[in-house]
Amino acid sequence: MIHINIGWYDRRFKTNFKARGIIAVGNIATGLISIGLISVGIFSFGALSFGLLVLGGLALGLALACGGVAAGGIAIGGVALGIFALGGLAVGMFASGGCAIASHIAVGGYARGHIACGEITSGARIAERYIGGSGKVIDSEMMVLAIKQEFTEMWLRFRELLIKLYGGW
């Protein structure tokens, strides 16, 4: 059930301190909840984490990944790669961050996407407006209009979610 196996590599015992169980804590951990330098499981926490919901330095998750470098369905991190990406460098279908590169919607300091909003933008539709001398801001009405016009074939519930996320509540 619970397996804890942590330690330093010793040539005499030739063990890598692997832990396997429902809750696994070890240098290399595999389990439902895994915590370790290298962790694999549904909920994984560690330097290198793989699983469904992960948190780590290098995080690769199917649903949610949070970490320095994160890749997954929803990725949050310094470098984020995913369907929804949020981070310093965010790359995905929908990206937000310092440098946001997206196939659909990009919002950030540098934004490149089909619909883009940011200080430096590149895309088919730009959803922003200038305000005085302080720069640009996102224009929520333009963003909602662009989402409705550009993504007509998209599933209606998902399009409504995008409008709530990017156009305001």
Side-chain angles (χ1 to χ4, degrees), residues 56-61 65-72 74-82:
L58 174 62
L60 300 172
C66 298
V69 177
I74 299 171
I76 302 168
V79 176
L81 308 167

Side-chain angles (χ1 to χ4, degrees), residues 77-150:
V79 176
L81 308 167
I83 296 171
F84 285 97
L86 177 65
L89 171 61
V91 179
M93 289 178 69
F94 307 95
S96 298
C99 177
I101 301 169
S103 61
H104 289 65
I105 299 173
V107 177
Y110 171 80
R112 182 181 181 97
H114 189 74
I115 299 173
C117 181
E119 194 63 34
I120 301 170
T121 57
S122 174
R125 301 283 297 261
I126 309 298
E128 62 192 14
R129 63 183 164 145
Y130 291 95
I131 54 165
S134 61
K136 303 174 187 177
V137 294
I138 202 168
D139 190 345
S140 58
E141 293 172 1
M142 286 177 66
M143 184 66 83
V144 169
L145 184 63
I147 290 170
K148 286 181 178 178
Q149 289 177 348
E150 296 295 326

